[in-house]
Amino acid sequence: MPELPEVETVRSVLAREVITKKIKLVHVTDGRAVRRHKNAKDFRDELEGRTIKSVERLGKNIVVGLDSGRHLVIHLGMTGQVLRAKNAKEPKPKHTHVVITFTSGEELRYVDQRTFGELYVSTPPAEGEEVEVSKFARLSIGGDGLELRRQVPELAHLGIDPFEDQVGWDRFAAVLRSRTLALKTLLTDQDIVSGIGNIYADEILFSAGLMYDRVSESLSTIEIRRLHRTIPEVLTEAIKHGGTTLSDEMFVNPDGEMGTYQELLQVHTREGLPCYQCRSPVAKVVFHQRATYFCAKCQG
DNA sequence: CAAAATTCCTGACTGC
DNA sequence: TGCAGTCAGGAATTTT
């Protein structure tokens, strides 16, 4: 459920709070959260004694730069949370899987009810070793995305990040015309466009006036330009509001604060309620085993 | 090769 | 009240 705006909200709090801090201890209490590592000790050894240099984001991944030259990657999956604590005395929530303690005594806790999320430390490629970056990301003419993919090979497969990669509408048109996928499937495929999930796909398609099952190659130039423009517009607005916290209250930032963009959702979770544009009821269908909300009158 | 289905997981909720 | 069944969905994996 955390998508680009929620991950960006977490990133910006972490960037403010943990850069220059030194990691003293790492406790893993559920090995599934660090499953890419051969064991929890291997993960711990990569972090203890390291200082945090940067906190970036690519798609739905938080990328924490370490003074070792390696990167701690955090993916929140469906229900993952990164929570700050002043000290070890603050009670640990249920499903706390990893605790990172800084030399200051402050902690970062990784909490994840469903354990779809994960943390791992990525090793950059050896000198002269080439990283195969996804062909869609290679369309970018700027931004930090390409360099980040080269530093973190596990993320090299990610498609266009709406903020970290710069891809103009004409190249975006080539992406759409190269596939025959439904628009929602394309927008949520992380290997094509990274960062968009079920909520924002519905919201972006509503704002662009496009039906979720329109085949990507069928769009007119005007429709492509509208979609290309709408993606960053919707995501930027959601970031301004600290992301979306649905009624399950699963998303909170590291300070435990909920987002407010749920109040601004146009269609997602609004089944049967009047469309803000035309007053006809918002519809819900299951599309590729995912709940999909839309206005049949406003989206074509 | 692409596209669709399956799988992982826990808690909330539904119906009997 | 209990309990089996269902649903939520990101992304790696498997199947078509």
Side-chain angles (χ1 to χ4, degrees), chain A residues 91-231:
Chain A
K92 288 173 184 61
K94 196 173 177 183
H95 304 299
T96 299
H97 301 328
V98 178
V99 177
I100 294 172
T101 307
F102 295 104
T103 52
S104 62
E106 292 163 274
E107 293 184 350
L108 278 187
R109 285 90 174 264
Y110 179 72
V111 181
D112 191 354
Q113 178 187 108
R114 266 132 87 181
T115 328
F116 282 8
E118 61 169 339
L119 297 80
Y120 58 91
V121 177
S122 170
T123 305
E127 195 77 30
E129 203 175 306
E130 274 306 313
V131 177
E132 174 79 3
V133 172
S134 88
K135 61 177 175 181
F136 297 120
R138 282 203 307 264
L139 296 173
S140 172
I141 56 163
D144 298 331
L146 291 179
E147 182 54 26
L148 208 42
R149 288 177 182 84
R150 283 193 274 266
Q151 293 297 312
V152 186
E154 290 88 343
L155 305 183
H157 68 92
L158 287 174
I160 301 162
D161 182 290
F163 298 107
E164 299 307 304
D165 300 315
Q166 288 176 23
V167 176
W169 73 265
D170 52 334
R171 290 185 173 205
F172 184 62
V175 172
L176 293 180
R177 288 170 178 152
S178 74
R179 302 296 280 266
T180 52
L181 288 172
L183 287 180
K184 180 162 181 176
T185 309
L186 182 141
L187 288 180
T188 56
D189 185 333
Q190 303 303 299
D191 290 354
I192 303 176
V193 179
S194 58
I196 298 172
N198 208 38
I199 296 172
Y200 295 103
D202 285 356
E203 293 298 304
I204 287 164
L205 288 169
F206 173 80
S207 288
L210 294 165
M211 203 62 168
Y212 63 92
D213 60 353
R214 280 285 297 282
V215 176
S216 55
E217 63 173 4
S218 78
L219 268 63
S220 68
T221 299
I222 285 183
E223 289 173 325
I224 291 169
R225 294 183 69 162
R226 202 193 304 148
L227 179 59
H228 178 261
R229 184 181 67 236
T230 303
I231 292 170

Side-chain angles (χ1 to χ4, degrees), chain A residues 5 16 21 27 44 217 230 240 263:
Chain A
R16 191 180 69 222
K21 291 205 167 112
H27 272 296
R44 196 213 311 160
E217 63 173 4
T230 303
K240 278 187 196 163
E263 297 162 16

